[in-house]
Amino acid sequence: MKQAGFPLGILLLFWVSYVTDFSLVLLIKGGALSGTDTYQSLVNKTFGFPGYILLSVLQFLYPFIAMVSYNIIAGDTLSKVFQRIPGVDPENVFIGRHFIIGLSTVTFTLPLSLYRNIAKLGKVSLISTGLTTLILGIVMARAISLGPHVPKTEDAWVFAKPNAIQAVGVMSFAFICHHNSFLVYSSLEEPTVAKWSRLIHMSIVISVFICIFFATCGYLTFTGFTQGDLFENYCRNDDLVTFGRFCYGVTVILTYPMECFVTREVIANVFFGGNLSSVFHIVVTVMVITVATLVSLLIDCLGIVLELNGVLCATPLIFIIPSACYLKLSEEPRTHSDKIMSYVMLPIGAAVMVFGFVMAITNPQDCTHGQEMFYCFPDNFSLTNTSESHIQQTTQLSIVNISIFQ
């Protein structure tokens, strides 16, 4: 919303969700037309070995970078949670983001990622979904209680902003699940295109409304000060948000293994003919997670990670490749609705990919990782225990601070 402009951002969110829904169904239709059961084998049969290699690179990079971003989120959010424990020194190395990333990797993400069957993550995904709903409630509550006391930026309500293409990249990152769609499709009982379509429609509708609530509440609260990681905006002494941070950290830790499954499958298909022995299964998993962990320890700004992964990996996986495969495989007339939509998606995806990359490099997001936002000063007050007169006084001081800040 910050990059696109709030009204245009909402419209783009609906549009990206529709394109995601359409391309997910299109992908499975392409698999049915070609008689293939993986994304890689579909592209291999459609475009040969060069297409297979290109897809394998994208299909590996997207979930791998997602794993990096999840580590960044876990480190950022959980470190602030542990700093709120009474008597704990904020500078203690054992509550620092680096230690937390390493600890969560060894304790949770690595053991969960060692499963061989993605269906076994069903209960974990259910817990993650429940926590997401809880976090949304906290963000909505703070939009009401905190929002009126955070100064609004001058361009907060313009219809559109120049960086809208970067916003499409972030939204693509949020919605993409094409890289593991065949894994999920094969885990269904009696998988059919019709059953898959119903599942996708329901999932996308739920997802888009959750995203809209998050985006709206977050942006209405912080407007132009919104960070790539929304929880970086909240004050550290807010106990309700601290609980939300804990839930958020747990959610991304539980989501992490889904991405690891895909990276491991790509490696297995490219280098091991699709099958990993028990030993190589463990070795490949440990190697992928180790490298992702090391990278996440070196990067601490989430916004640029989301943008680049969105425009370089998510966009071709959503817009370009499913459409290109379907257009080549389908014998339907050119006036068929699926073909018309595919012809539209191809140039749009290419434009988002090229211009989004250029804009992400030339206009990177500001990142205040680990810093307390200006409106949390001067008194570090708790909104849950503050009188109305004190809030008004603090708001006036915050407005003075923002004039200096600008």
Side-chain angles (χ1 to χ4, degrees):
M1 301 303 107
K2 174 185 173 182
Q3 298 284 51
F6 183 68
L8 179 61
I10 294 294
L11 296 177
L12 287 176
L13 204 52
F14 276 112
W15 177 70
V16 172
S17 67
Y18 171 75
V19 171
T20 302
D21 182 289
F22 175 81
S23 60
L24 281 168
V25 175
L26 204 66
L27 197 60
I28 299 302
K29 285 182 179 180
L33 289 171
S34 61
T36 55
D37 57 359
T38 68
Y39 203 165
Q40 288 168 288
S41 58
L42 166 63
V43 175
N44 189 25
K45 191 163 185 176
T46 308
F47 294 106
F49 187 71
Y52 172 79
I53 293 299
L54 175 61
L55 176 76
S56 297
V57 172
L58 292 174
Q59 203 175 10
F60 177 84
L61 283 178
Y62 172 79
F64 179 80
I65 298 175
M67 290 163 65
V68 172
S69 69
Y70 293 155
N71 274 338
I72 294 172
I73 292 171
D76 287 347
T77 56
L78 294 180
S79 62
K80 293 181 177 62
V81 171
F82 296 136
Q83 287 171 7
R84 292 289 295 156
I85 299 175
V88 173
D89 182 3
E91 301 301 322
N92 191 320
V93 67
F94 293 109
I95 62 170
R97 64 184 300 274
H98 293 87
F99 180 81
I100 289 173
I101 290 173
L103 181 64
S104 64
T105 298
V106 174
T107 309
F108 296 105
T109 55
L110 178 58
L112 289 172
S113 298
L114 285 172
Y115 279 122
R116 298 186 74 99
N117 185 357
I118 199 169
K120 291 187 176 181
L121 296 177
K123 293 181 180 179
V124 172
S125 297
L126 181 61
I127 295 172
S128 180
T129 304
L131 290 175
T132 300
T133 306
L134 187 60
I135 298 164
L136 177 59
I138 293 172
V139 172
M140 292 173 69
R142 279 297 173 256
I144 297 172
S145 61
L146 176 62
H149 310 293
V150 177
K152 309 305 178 193
T153 50
E154 292 182 3
D155 61 347
W157 312 116
V158 298
F159 179 81
K161 294 182 182 179
N163 295 341
I165 292 181
Q166 290 171 266
V168 174
V170 175
M171 293 172 188
S172 299
F173 178 93
F175 278 98
I176 184 175
C177 52
H178 299 61
H179 54 298
N180 55 24
S181 56
F182 279 100
L183 283 173
V184 177
Y185 177 74
S186 62
S187 73
L188 298 176
E189 295 181 6
E190 301 178 4
T192 63
V193 173
K195 191 174 184 179
W196 174 256
S197 298
R198 290 195 299 272
L199 174 66
I200 290 303
H201 297 333
M202 180 176 65
S203 300
I204 292 296
V205 167
I206 294 172
S207 297
V208 71
F209 279 105
I210 290 176
C211 283
I212 284 176
F213 279 124
F214 264 118
T216 300
C217 293
Y219 186 78
L220 291 181
T221 306
F222 303 111
T223 59
F225 304 115
T226 305
Q227 296 295 301
D229 179 353
L230 183 61
F231 274 103
E232 287 290 299
N233 280 98
Y234 294 101
C235 304
R236 295 189 184 186
N237 65 340
D238 189 329
D239 292 333
L240 180 62
V241 171
T242 297
F243 177 66
R245 286 191 176 105
F246 175 76
C247 295
Y248 188 35
V250 173
T251 298
V252 297
I253 289 173
L254 297 181
T255 306
Y256 185 104
M258 291 284 288
E259 309 300 344
C260 186
F261 266 73
V262 181
T263 59
R264 187 174 60 223
E265 184 197 36
V266 172
I267 292 173
N269 289 338
V270 173
F271 299 104
F272 298 94
N275 294 309
L276 288 173
S277 65
S278 297
V279 173
F280 278 106
H281 173 85
I282 294 173
V283 170
V284 170
T285 303
V286 171
M287 287 181 62
V288 169
I289 290 180
T290 300
V291 175
T293 301
L294 292 175
V295 173
S296 61
L297 294 175
L298 299 174
I299 301 174
D300 62 4
C301 196
L302 185 63
I304 188 65
V305 175
L306 299 182
E307 286 184 13
L308 290 177
N309 203 18
V311 297
L312 293 180
C313 300
T315 299
L317 290 172
I318 292 177
F319 291 83
I320 299 174
I321 298 177
S323 301
C325 289
Y326 183 78
L327 288 173
K328 189 166 184 179
L329 292 169
S330 176
E331 296 180 356
E332 298 286 352
R334 291 186 177 182
T335 54
H336 190 274
S337 59
D338 286 349
K339 281 203 167 182
I340 293 174
M341 184 64 181
S342 297
Y343 281 120
V344 171
M345 285 169 58
L346 278 173
I348 292 177
V352 170
M353 188 175 177
V354 174
F355 291 107
F357 174 74
V358 172
M359 294 181 72
I361 296 300
T362 56
N363 300 291
Q365 290 191 31
D366 294 330
C367 184
T368 59
H369 165 77
Q371 300 177 20
E372 192 83 305
M373 299 298 287
F374 69 90
Y375 44 77
C376 297
F377 298 103
D379 297 326
N380 283 329
F381 62 92
S382 172
L383 284 169
T384 56
N385 300 303
T386 307
S387 66
E388 184 68 26
S389 60
H390 188 90
I391 289 177
Q392 290 174 350
Q393 178 186 6
T394 306
T395 303
Q396 292 170 355
L397 290 169
S398 295
I399 294 173
V400 173
N401 284 344
I402 187 56
S403 65
I404 299 172
F405 180 81
Q406 291 174 335

